[in-house]
């Protein structure tokens, strides 16, 4: 069987995968870390798979003065480090780098954006990019508004082809700044041109949640309050904040993980079946879920959520400093590095089912998972194993690092006596398909080039999620958190978190 054979399963996905139209990608912040680590390796991986159009060009831009060859050299070193380019790929690498050019721009210099427009027009004429343009804002959030405005002044928000804008998170740092930024962006671009990226949604298992639910007849009938006792969504990290102290001390766990990533995951778990796979049909249902979450009033914050901050401890046997001893962190900081929330979705499907969200730095291991815990059997027939029987059946969706799905249930141990044990049925991506999942940025870049906005956040959902967390942010930031730090690095978070969830007669899973 040849690689191009129509019966070759390795090429089947390529036949089904839509191809992007000829286009140019403009990366603002092209000299930054995100471009070298994620964006260029993502685009190169798409080139490896033959998923980029023949007429495709990348324009790097920033305030630095660089010649085309200097930019290409920088990207060559980045690809060598982050894309594992082998000698056999030298021809492909040179072809890819040849399609990279550089134009200096400054949001305060209108002439530089006019020059960018002329450069894009020249590529349309010489390289056949057909007026299709994807602008990627790989810059700090303070640059989103000025760059967007400069694109509008230069007339670059429209062209003879399509024009799209990718905006990195965070999209605002609170509700007020999010609304202001959204107004500024939408003064220049239409909503359907704006792609707000959340790399969590590009993870294979997150995408598989919809397939698990809506392509299998066995799950959906019991995906509701009649059978589900509660849901736990955990995003644990063993690392600290590294060199991000200045950013993280102004952000914290709520902004960094919950307002975007974990609420997005919750919406996929709880959404109603969409009427189609159209991106807006799916995002309509996700937004309905977030709007259905019962608002947390200021006076309820103390019982609805729990903050934490790590102190000194040990990870994998190695001592690590506490958060307040990290670089660029206020020694009296009240920024939470841990957060746990109890959310209720007030709709017909989920009435009364608590959704527990938790995230934390310096926990024992890196793991992200969703655990759907079902109600126990209504009658404990096998009473001699009551301890085992009180453990619930659980469906676990593992998002990282070991992507897969596990169903835990009870079975009889072989032998004459009736003895019961919890067992698992496991689905593992790597062993089942024989290949690893593509990196999130690679998938999201391809979707943006195709024009599929399904995995990107729409403005109304971003607004709804900010409205949800604002009372928590306001209450926690108004408090001095004299009890911080309240958990040791290497533990599973504050001891209070166990008592907090135990009030509902639940306990945290240990992933």
């Amino acid at each position: 069987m040849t690689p191009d054979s129509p019966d070759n399963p390795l090429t089947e996905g390529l036949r089904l995968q839509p191809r992007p139209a000829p286009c140019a990608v403009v990366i603002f912040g092209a000299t930054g870390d995100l471009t070298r680590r994620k964006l260029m390796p993502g685009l190169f991986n798409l080139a490896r798979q033959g998923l980029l159009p023949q007429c495709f060009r990348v324009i790097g831009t920033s305030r630095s003065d660089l010649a085309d060859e200097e930019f290409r050299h920088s990207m060559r070193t980045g690809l060598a480090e982050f894309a594992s380019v082998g000698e056999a790929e030298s021809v492909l690498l040179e072809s890819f780098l040849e399609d990279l050019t550089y134009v200096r721009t400054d949001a305060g210099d209108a002439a530089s954006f006019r020059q960018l427009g002329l450069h894009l027009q020249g590529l349309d004429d010489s390289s056949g990019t057909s007026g299709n343009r994807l602008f990627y804002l790989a810059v700090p959030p303070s640059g989103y508004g000025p760059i967007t405005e400069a694109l509008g002044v230069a007339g670059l928000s429209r062209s003879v082809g399509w024009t799209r804008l990718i905006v990195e998170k965070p999209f605002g740092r609170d509700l007020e700044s999010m609304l202001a930024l959204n107004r500024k962006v939408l003064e220049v671009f239409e909503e359907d041109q704006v792609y707000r990226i959340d790399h969590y949604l590009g993870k294979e298992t997150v995408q598989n949640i919809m397939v698990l639910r809506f392509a299998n007849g066995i799950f959906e009938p019991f995906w509701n309050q009649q059978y589900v006792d509660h849901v736990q969504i955990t995003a644990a990290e063993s690392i600290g904040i590294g060199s991000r102290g200045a950013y993280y001390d102004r952000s914290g766990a709520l902004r960094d993980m919950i307002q975007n990533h974990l609420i997005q995951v919750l919406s996929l778990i709880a959404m109603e079946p969409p009427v189609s796979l159209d991106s807006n049909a799916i995002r309509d249902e996700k937004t309905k879920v977030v709007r259905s979450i019962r608002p947390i009033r200021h006076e309820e914050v103390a019982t609805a959520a729990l903050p934490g901050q790590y102190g000194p401890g040990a990870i994998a046997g190695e001592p690590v400093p506490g958060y307040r001893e990290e670089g660029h962190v206020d020694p009296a900081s009240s920024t939470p590095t841990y957060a746990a929330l109890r959310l209720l979705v007030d709709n017909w499907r989920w009435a009364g089912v608590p959704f527990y969200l938790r995230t934390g730095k310096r926990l024992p291991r890196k793991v992200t998972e969703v655990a759907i815990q079902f109600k126990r059997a209504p009658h404990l027939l096998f009473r001699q194993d009551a301890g085992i029987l009180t453990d619930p059946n659980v469906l676990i969706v593992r998002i990282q690092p070991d992507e897969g799905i596990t169903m835990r249930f009870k079975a009889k141990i072989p032998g004459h006596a009736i003895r019961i044990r919890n067992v698992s049925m496991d689905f593992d991506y790597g062993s089942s398909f024989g290949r690893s999942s593509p990196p999130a940025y690679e998938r999201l870049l391809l979707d943006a080039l195709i024009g599929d906005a399904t995995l990107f956040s729409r403005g109304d959902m971003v607004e709804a999620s900010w409205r949800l967390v604002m009372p928590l942010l306001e209450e926690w930031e108004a408090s001095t958190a004299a009890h911080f730090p309240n958990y040791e690095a290497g533990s599973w978070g504050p001891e209070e978190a166990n008592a907090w969830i135990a009030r509902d007669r639940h306990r945290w899973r240990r992933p």
Side-chain angles (χ1 to χ4, degrees), residues 136 144 165-172 178 181-183 185-186 189-199 201 264 283 444 448 453-463:
Y136 198 120
Y144 298 166
L165 177 75
I166 295 183
V167 183
E168 273 283 337
K169 82 168 191 76
F171 199 77
M178 175 268 158
L181 176 57
N182 209 44
R183 283 193 298 269
V185 170
L186 296 182
F189 293 90
E190 301 293 332
E191 174 63 41
D192 62 6
Q193 294 178 281
V194 182
Y195 289 63
R196 300 171 187 83
I197 198 167
D198 184 340
H199 71 272
L201 294 184
Q264 289 279 359
R283 296 191 295 177
L444 294 170
T454 303
L455 300 179
F456 295 84
S457 301
R458 203 169 60 189
D460 53 353
M461 183 170 180
V462 177
E463 178 180 346

Side-chain angles (χ1 to χ4, degrees), residues 302-346:
T303 55
L306 182 77
Q309 186 187 93
Y310 66 84
I315 301 290
E318 295 294 326
V320 295
Y323 175 73
R324 293 179 177 183
E325 288 110 48
E326 301 275 17
H328 306 291
V329 170
D330 182 349
S333 174
S334 294
T335 298
T337 63
Y338 174 99
L341 276 67
R342 179 183 187 271
L343 301 177
L344 293 171
V345 181
D346 285 338

Side-chain angles (χ1 to χ4, degrees), residues 178 191 196 201 210 263-274 279-294 345-347 453-454 456-468:
M178 175 268 158
E191 174 63 41
R196 300 171 187 83
L201 294 184
M210 284 207 306
I263 288 178
Q264 289 279 359
V265 173
L266 182 154
S267 70
L268 286 167
I269 292 291
M271 66 186 279
E272 294 297 321
S279 62
N280 274 322
I282 293 170
R283 296 191 295 177
D284 284 345
E285 298 303 334
K286 290 172 60 183
T287 303
K288 286 178 188 177
V289 170
V290 181
R291 288 176 171 168
S292 298
I293 296 174
R294 184 181 301 176
V345 181
D346 285 338
N347 62 18
T454 303
F456 295 84
S457 301
R458 203 169 60 189
D460 53 353
M461 183 170 180
V462 177
E463 178 180 346
S465 63
W466 273 120
R467 289 191 184 279
L468 178 65

Side-chain angles (χ1 to χ4, degrees), residues 31 49 53 72 82 109 129 275 280 294 305 360 461 491:
T31 57
Q49 300 166 67
R72 289 170 185 153
F82 299 111
D109 178 8
T129 48
V275 297
N280 274 322
R294 184 181 301 176
M461 183 170 180
S491 70

